[in-house]
Amino acid sequence: VILRSRQVLCLDALNSTRTASEDMIPLEASPDQDESAEMPALAQADDDPPLSCGVKFKAEFTLNHRLNAETAILALQSSVLTPFEINNRRRYFVYKDTSSSIFYLKLEEVGKESKGKERQDKEDEHEEDALPTLQLIVRGIDEPTGSVKEQLTDIIRARIHMLALDALSVLLRGSANFSVEKKDVEFLRGFG
């Protein structure tokens, strides 16, 4: 009961200030930072912070072959997810659903964080057809409603499709000799 009360207070503060507590969301190394560089002990620990909430929902979004994951994340972050951004945590967002439950979300590329660069490059050589995938991880106290599970994920999915369409349009406009792949035709048929 005490833990839940502290989590509720922390979630309320997160929602109102858009600033995360280290007791709820751990600090992470920046992408520019060398992995061997000194980091706070909390960020290196495998354990969740003391007030961390459990994962309540996950959604995966497979990207079109014309999109790279980093570009998609930045575009989503600067459009659909901007109102929910947490100021002091990269790629974390706070969302209050229709039942007034508060959740914090993380958007990341699947597998990206757990792979070293050299290992990933080797795996990428063997998985040329594997499409990048983004994952939205939703943490909170209560079970999320349809506003998270359906509406928010539908908005993200639609924005990802528009990003892919924009990328293909740029290629088509840029070169009269551009050869459309079978994957591109199948993607375009999905809009009809």
Side-chain angles (χ1 to χ4, degrees), residues 54-61 80-81 84 93-106 135-157:
V55 174
K56 297 296 181 179
F57 177 72
K58 289 183 181 182
E60 289 193 355
F61 307 94
V80 174
L81 297 173
F84 313 115
F93 310 89
V94 62
Y95 184 84
K96 189 172 187 175
D97 76 0
T98 55
S99 68
S100 295
S101 296
I102 300 170
F103 302 93
Y104 57 99
L105 304 80
K106 183 172 186 185
Q135 182 176 57
L136 182 70
I137 301 168
V138 178
R139 290 177 173 258
I141 298 171
D142 303 315
E143 286 300 315
T145 63
S147 69
V148 174
K149 290 183 172 182
E150 296 162 13
Q151 293 171 341
L152 184 61
T153 56
D154 287 349
I155 291 168
I156 291 171
R157 190 168 283 111

Side-chain angles (χ1 to χ4, degrees), residues 10 14 17 20 31 44 57 59 61 65 86 101 108 139 142-143 160 169-170 173:
C10 207
L14 176 63
T17 65
Q44 290 180 341
F57 177 72
F61 307 94
H65 71 284
I86 295 176
S101 296
E108 64 186 9
R139 290 177 173 258
D142 303 315
E143 286 300 315
I160 288 171
S169 296
V170 167
R173 279 190 304 245

Side-chain angles (χ1 to χ4, degrees), residues 123-138:
E123 287 179 9
D124 288 348
E125 291 172 11
H126 301 302
E127 298 178 6
E128 289 180 17
D129 292 340
L131 296 173
T133 302
L134 301 183
Q135 182 176 57
L136 182 70
I137 301 168
V138 178

Side-chain angles (χ1 to χ4, degrees), residues 18 32 46 57 67-68 82 101 104 109 115-116 122 130 134 141 153 166-167 177-180:
R18 299 287 194 250
D32 316 340
D46 290 334
F57 177 72
L67 274 180
N68 101 15
T82 294
S101 296
Y104 57 99
E109 183 178 359
K115 297 179 183 177
K122 288 178 185 174
L134 301 183
I141 298 171
T153 56
D166 291 346
N177 298 328
F178 176 75
S179 62
V180 178

Side-chain angles (χ1 to χ4, degrees), residues 22 26-31 33-45:
E22 289 181 28
L27 292 171
E28 294 182 357
S30 69
Q33 190 175 7
D34 182 11
E35 289 180 21
S36 63
E38 291 280 329
M39 288 180 52
L42 181 62
Q44 290 180 341

